Amino acid sequence: METSVPSSVPSSGGVPAPAAPSPTRSVPLALALFAAPWGFIVANGAYAWVTRAGGSDSSGAEALALAAAHPGLYRLASVAAMLASMLMVPAVLGAKRLVGDRSPKLAFVGAVMMAAGYICYFGVALSGITDVAMAEHGGPVQDYAVVIDNSQSDPSTLWVFLLFCWATWSGRCCSAWPSSVAAGSRSGLPPGSSPGLRST
């Protein structure tokens, strides 16, 4: 008499076959992997447009001047960078699944470091909204500029920017695929080329 083995029964040797990825988990990760780079493209595009005639955000005074001249685009760049940073967290975790079978430990370390870096970058990009609020409010602009510069160089907040740089660099060393996704999404983003990323 013929019998059939249920699919839930482990294969020979007592080792169960690996479960197929759940579509309910794979689809959101794939969407984040696709959408995250576009957020950085929008942020970098808006920043390039507001600086097309010169200017930068390398100091508090320059950042306030840009925010006052182009408040809408400056706000757009900050919000787009924040949203993209949020999406990069599930994006790098999804990318980790692509290389997890070949080098699971390195993929895990790379994904965690990349996710931590973009969580930090979310906080850095958030400061662009403060620049716009100060520029639109008016008042002692020079005092505002000093406050911005001091907040960026204060040791209690400097670690956020440093962790972002270190996490993205170490993630690139530990996991090629997640870091390549991030590198492509940043579109060659250097420090000081997006609202909130100011040299200190």
Side-chain angles (χ1 to χ4, degrees):
M1 181 177 63
E2 296 182 356
T3 59
S4 60
V5 180
S7 59
S8 59
V9 176
S11 59
S12 60
V15 180
S22 172
T24 57
R25 294 180 58 187
S26 300
V27 172
L29 294 177
L31 290 176
L33 193 63
F34 173 79
W38 289 102
F40 288 109
I41 290 173
V42 171
N44 285 344
Y47 183 80
W49 184 258
V50 301
T51 57
R52 67 191 185 281
S56 70
D57 65 347
S58 60
S59 68
E62 291 176 319
L64 288 173
L66 281 182
H70 308 277
L73 286 174
Y74 202 93
R75 183 181 285 107
L76 173 63
S78 298
V79 172
M82 291 162 59
L83 292 175
S85 298
M86 293 176 60
L87 289 173
M88 281 301 297
V89 175
V92 296
L93 294 178
K96 166 191 169 293
R97 299 176 63 180
L98 299 178
V99 297
D101 293 337
R102 289 178 289 178
S103 52
K105 291 184 179 180
L106 287 179
F108 175 78
V109 172
V112 169
M113 293 307 303
M114 293 293 293
Y118 279 98
I119 291 172
C120 291
Y121 185 57
F122 177 91
V124 174
L126 179 62
S127 65
I129 303 299
T130 304
D131 298 344
V132 176
M134 288 182 174
E136 292 180 337
H137 178 72
V141 177
Q142 294 299 323
D143 292 341
Y144 292 162
V146 172
V147 170
I148 292 174
D149 289 335
N150 289 343
S151 67
Q152 295 289 326
S153 60
D154 190 280
S156 64
T157 59
L158 185 59
W159 66 270
V160 175
F161 175 72
L162 295 178
L163 179 58
F164 167 73
C165 296
W166 179 69
T168 51
W169 176 83
S170 61
R172 179 171 301 178
C173 295
C174 292
S175 182
W177 176 249
S179 61
S180 65
V181 172
S185 67
R186 289 198 302 274
S187 301
L189 177 71
S193 67
S194 181
L197 276 183
R198 304 185 190 91
S199 57
T200 55

